[in-house]
Amino acid sequence: MSQSAVSRIWRAFGLKPHIVETWKLSTDPQFVTKVRDVLGIYLRPPENALVLAAIGRRHRPEGQ
């Protein structure tokens, strides 16, 4: 994937990883295994595969 493609995606979703001041890693003991599984699908997708991603967000009550 080209740098310009990554930049377009970041802009489209309002992502600004270059200005993040803190970083937290998951405490999930299966974190490394899960990351490898997800990256493996993107790097070596099965033939005729469709890869979708969903980002969950916590519900915030109105006014907060």
Side-chain angles (χ1 to χ4, degrees), residues 1 4-5 7 13 15-16 28 37 39 42 45 52 55 60-61 63-64:
M1 182 177 285
S4 60
S7 294
F13 290 95
L15 301 174
K16 298 178 182 179
D28 181 348
D37 288 346
L39 290 177
Y42 281 95
L52 304 174
I55 299 173
R60 292 175 56 189
Q64 289 189 0

Side-chain angles (χ1 to χ4, degrees), residues 2 4 9-11 17 19-20 22-24 26 28-30 36 38 41-42 44 46 55 60 63-64:
S2 71
S4 60
I9 294 167
W10 286 0
R11 273 194 306 277
I19 60 171
V20 172
T22 62
W23 180 262
K24 294 181 183 180
S26 174
D28 181 348
Q30 297 296 315
R36 286 181 179 152
V38 170
I41 291 171
Y42 281 95
R44 291 179 302 290
I55 299 173
R60 292 175 56 189
Q64 289 189 0

